[in-house]
């Protein structure tokens, strides 16, 4: 389980920086609204980074802590080349990333439940709820 938790931790770190990059570089007619929304999103991810890192420690593991390790472990990819500025494209990318995080949190929860590891399972419940809500909110905005 430590390996999957480190993948989740790494994904969250890369995702945090991706959100921040989008926040900095977004432009267009809805700039003010989207700029603020992206800031809310990355501010909600940062406590998750800390929580997952501490969870790994509580489980007796070692959380990844170097950028090199985060980039090697993460399935979520950094923004490449020119930073995305198109609002529709930004939210398509973020929706895919949230779906990936949701899938991973569900996998970790399933593993934790089979091991009767209620601490990890409960933490994944919180993440599952958070990612599900983010996916729903993005889908509502995309209509």
């Amino acid at each position: 389980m430590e390996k999957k938790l480190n993948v989740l931790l790494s994904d969250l770190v890369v995702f945090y920086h991706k959100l921040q990059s989008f926040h900095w570089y977004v432009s267009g007619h809805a700039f003010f609204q989207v700029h603020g929304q992206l800031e809310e999103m990355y501010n909600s991810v940062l406590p998750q980074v800390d929580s997952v890192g501490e969870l790994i420690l509580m489980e007796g593991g070692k959380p990844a802590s170097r950028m090199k390790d985060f980039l090697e472990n993460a399935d979520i990819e950094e923004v490449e080349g020119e930073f995305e500025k198109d609002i529709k494209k930004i939210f398509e990318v973020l929706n895919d990333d949230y779906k990936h995080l949701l899938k991973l949190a569900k996998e970790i929860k399933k593993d934790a439940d089979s091991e009767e590891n209620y601490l990890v399972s409960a933490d994944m419940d919180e993440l599952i709820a958070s990612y599900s809500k983010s996916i729903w909110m993005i889908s509502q905005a995309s209509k």
Side-chain angles (χ1 to χ4, degrees), residues 74-125:
D75 291 323
I76 289 180
E77 295 181 5
E78 290 184 288
V79 178
E80 292 291 330
E82 286 293 315
F83 291 102
E84 187 60 55
K85 296 178 183 181
D86 180 82
I87 293 169
K88 184 176 179 184
K89 180 67 175 166
I90 286 171
F91 283 105
E92 286 174 8
V93 168
L94 295 179
N95 197 43
D96 288 344
D97 288 344
Y98 275 118
K99 286 179 179 179
H100 166 74
L101 291 168
L102 177 62
K103 180 178 181 246
L104 183 55
K106 285 180 177 181
E107 287 175 14
I108 294 169
K109 178 176 175 51
K110 184 177 177 181
D111 293 347
D113 287 345
S114 71
E115 296 174 13
E116 297 183 356
N117 186 329
Y118 304 115
L119 178 64
V120 172
S121 180
D123 275 14
M124 292 307 109
D125 284 337

Side-chain angles (χ1 to χ4, degrees), residues 26-52:
V26 68
S27 62
H29 67 282
F31 168 80
F32 289 109
Q33 179 184 3
V34 174
H35 184 76
Q37 182 60 45
L38 291 166
E39 184 173 3
E40 285 180 32
M41 292 170 125
Y42 73 70
N43 282 335
S44 72
V45 171
L46 194 54
Q48 295 173 5
V49 170
D50 189 52
S51 178
V52 172

Side-chain angles (χ1 to χ4, degrees), residues 1-12 52-53 55-56 59 61-64 70 73-75 100-115 120 124 127 131:
M1 187 166 330
E2 180 181 347
K3 181 175 168 111
K4 281 187 182 177
L5 285 169
N6 262 309
V7 170
L8 178 58
L9 176 62
S10 298
D11 280 340
L12 287 169
V52 172
L55 182 61
I56 294 168
E59 291 291 305
K62 292 183 177 184
F70 294 138
N73 288 330
D75 291 323
H100 166 74
L101 291 168
L102 177 62
K103 180 178 181 246
L104 183 55
K106 285 180 177 181
E107 287 175 14
I108 294 169
K109 178 176 175 51
K110 184 177 177 181
D111 293 347
D113 287 345
S114 71
E115 296 174 13
V120 172
M124 292 307 109
L127 294 179
Y131 304 147

